[in-house]
Amino acid sequence: MEEDVNGLRSEIEGLMERVMESMGMGTLLIPEEIQRGMNETANPSLDADGLRALRDDLKALL
C-alpha cells in the first residue's frame, strides 16, 4: 500500500510539471487542481483514493 501511495505522489508531481508547462509562463490563474497538488506536495494528507482522484483531475487538464 505504501509503495502505491509513493508511486501516486511521484506521478502527481510529474503531471503537475506537465500541466504547468502546457499552460505557459503567462498564466495568471493557477487551476484548482494544481493548487491541490501543490498543497499535497507541501503537506501530504491524502490517502490512496484521494491521490488517485487528484491524479485523474490533473490528467484531465492535459
Side-chain angles (χ1 to χ4, degrees), residues 2 7 12-14 16 18-19 21-22 25 29 31-34 38 50 52-54 56 58-59:
E2 187 65 30
I12 286 168
E13 288 179 29
M16 286 179 31
R18 289 177 51 204
V19 169
E21 286 174 5
S22 72
M25 296 297 286
L29 185 62
E32 185 267 338
E33 295 85 353
I34 295 292
M38 290 168 50
R52 283 186 201 95
L54 177 57
D56 294 344
L58 289 168
K59 283 183 177 181

Side-chain angles (χ1 to χ4, degrees), residues 25-48:
M25 296 297 286
T27 302
L28 296 176
L29 185 62
I30 297 174
E32 185 267 338
E33 295 85 353
I34 295 292
Q35 292 178 30
R36 286 179 22 225
M38 290 168 50
N39 185 50
E40 180 62 23
T41 300
N43 237 348
S45 61
L46 294 175
D47 62 3

